[in-house]
């Protein structure tokens, strides 16, 4: 599983919005949707590497694509 350390949850949300995801619900986690793909982003600073890797994989992105979206 790809891993990416030290990502703030707000930066991850902005990057995923650039990838076409929309915020569906906000509570303890932020739920985002793109078509029929749902992902949950924890409100953590930073997001743990294993968790961030799972989010990137669930979003259908590679680590390199996600890093490009962070900029």
């Amino acid at each position: 599983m790809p891993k990416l350390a030290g990502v703030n949850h707000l930066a991850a949300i902005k990057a995923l919005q650039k990838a076409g995801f929309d915020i569906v619900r906000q509570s303890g986690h932020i739920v985002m949707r793109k078509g029929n793909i749902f992902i949950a982003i924890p409100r953590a600073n930073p997001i743990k590497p294993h968790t961030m890797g799972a989010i990137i994989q669930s979003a259908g992105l590679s680590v390199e694509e996600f890093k490009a979206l962070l900029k």
Side-chain angles (χ1 to χ4, degrees):
M1 180 174 298
K3 295 181 181 180
L4 185 64
V7 178
N8 182 306
H9 76 281
L10 295 175
I13 290 166
K14 287 180 184 178
L16 290 167
Q17 285 177 324
K18 289 179 186 177
F21 284 86
D22 296 315
I23 295 174
V24 176
R25 188 181 74 217
Q26 296 185 40
S27 58
H29 287 68
I30 297 160
V31 179
M32 301 184 81
R33 176 183 184 200
K34 179 180 178 183
N36 61 353
I37 301 171
F38 286 87
I39 53 175
I41 312 295
R43 292 181 186 257
N45 291 318
I47 298 173
K48 294 181 181 179
H50 185 74
T51 304
M52 194 68 244
I55 291 168
I56 292 168
Q57 188 175 27
S58 296
L61 299 170
S62 69
V63 173
E64 292 77 26
E65 291 171 330
F66 186 76
K67 284 182 181 178
L69 292 170
L70 285 174
K71 296 178 181 179

